[in-house]
Amino acid sequence: MTRKAQSILVLLLGVSLCLPASFAQNHQHGNRERQQPQPQNNAPRAGRWLRQHMNLPPQEQQQELKNDPDFKRLNPQQQQHLVDRLNRFNSLPPQRREQMLNRLNAMEALPPEKQQMLKNSLQQLRQLPDDRQREVRRAYRSLRQMPPDQQQQVMNSDRFKSTFNDQERSTLKGLIDSGFNPRPNNQEPH
């Protein structure tokens, strides 16, 4: 798979990561891009592609995507999945689209090993039942607001260990250790 095709698939992953929890839970099926290799450092970035094309009408964005030779090499399911993700992105209010782009930029700013750590942790998160996903997300938002020493203290507490099983704690640790902060400067979600 070429770097450009990998970047398109990372675009999907990035957009799906940035979706609100309730939206992502309702549309998490068909995430075939999870098994795709990580793009090279010099590959085009998902956030950059969206920023470059976001001012085009949705039909022109789709045409740009469909005319891409790497897109044409994907199987029909992957192609449709990309088009669907782009349509979902375009259906969001402008403020939400900007928020998603900022999250993509934050992800892309991470070193490759931290990006992989984040990707693995998010895969683990998606494997949890919906109610546990909500609890882990809530804990992550809370932990993210704390200084590192306090994070460790909370995560090592008996209460935390009794609230979250080994897989959930591992997922939280990976999310925290990745250094990903989708809301710079500790901004709260709208």
Side-chain angles (χ1 to χ4, degrees):
M1 180 175 283
T2 67
R3 289 181 185 153
K4 197 169 186 180
Q6 290 173 349
S7 295
I8 291 170
L9 291 171
V10 169
L11 165 78
L12 281 177
L13 177 63
V15 170
S16 67
L17 297 177
C18 296
L19 296 175
S22 59
F23 188 82
Q25 289 167 1
N26 291 334
H27 300 289
Q28 64 185 325
H29 302 293
N31 286 332
R32 290 169 190 83
E33 70 277 6
R34 288 185 211 159
Q35 271 88 50
Q36 298 301 325
Q38 194 74 7
Q40 302 297 319
N41 286 336
N42 59 350
R45 300 297 188 158
R48 189 178 331 142
W49 189 96
L50 278 173
R51 283 200 192 278
Q52 287 174 346
H53 296 89
M54 70 184 286
N55 292 328
L56 294 176
Q59 295 78 11
E60 287 183 39
Q61 288 177 346
Q62 282 186 23
Q63 197 59 43
E64 289 284 324
L65 187 62
K66 289 178 180 179
N67 286 337
D68 187 285
D70 294 316
F71 177 85
K72 292 176 182 179
R73 289 187 199 109
L74 299 173
N75 69 46
Q77 281 183 311
Q78 291 171 318
Q79 289 179 354
Q80 187 58 49
H81 187 67
L82 278 173
V83 170
D84 291 346
R85 288 287 182 183
L86 184 58
N87 289 337
R88 283 188 208 118
F89 176 80
N90 285 324
S91 71
L92 296 171
Q95 184 179 9
R96 182 70 185 120
R97 287 194 305 259
E98 186 65 28
Q99 186 180 49
M100 290 176 64
L101 288 168
N102 289 338
R103 287 183 183 184
L104 284 170
N105 289 338
M107 287 171 38
E108 292 168 352
L110 295 173
E113 65 277 1
K114 297 286 188 173
Q115 288 180 21
Q116 188 62 46
M117 183 183 296
L118 176 63
K119 180 181 175 182
N120 294 341
S121 297
L122 289 166
Q123 273 186 281
Q124 291 173 353
L125 179 64
R126 283 190 293 270
Q127 293 171 358
L128 297 173
D130 289 347
D131 62 327
R132 297 310 300 162
Q133 282 186 37
R134 281 189 295 277
E135 289 302 315
V136 169
R137 287 177 197 271
R138 190 173 298 133
Y140 173 58
R141 284 190 301 271
S142 177
L143 287 166
R144 194 174 70 219
Q145 303 300 318
M146 300 175 189
D149 58 330
Q150 189 179 3
Q151 288 173 350
Q152 288 304 313
Q153 185 178 10
V154 169
M155 291 176 75
N156 291 330
S157 72
D158 290 337
R159 182 172 183 245
F160 193 85
K161 289 178 181 178
S162 67
T163 303
F164 298 101
N165 66 31
D166 290 344
Q167 180 186 2
E168 293 165 345
R169 288 193 312 271
S170 171
T171 299
L172 280 162
K173 182 168 176 23
L175 290 169
I176 293 296
D177 290 351
S178 74
F180 177 65
N181 186 355
R183 292 182 191 88
N185 303 322
N186 296 325
Q187 296 171 356
E188 285 303 311
H190 300 288

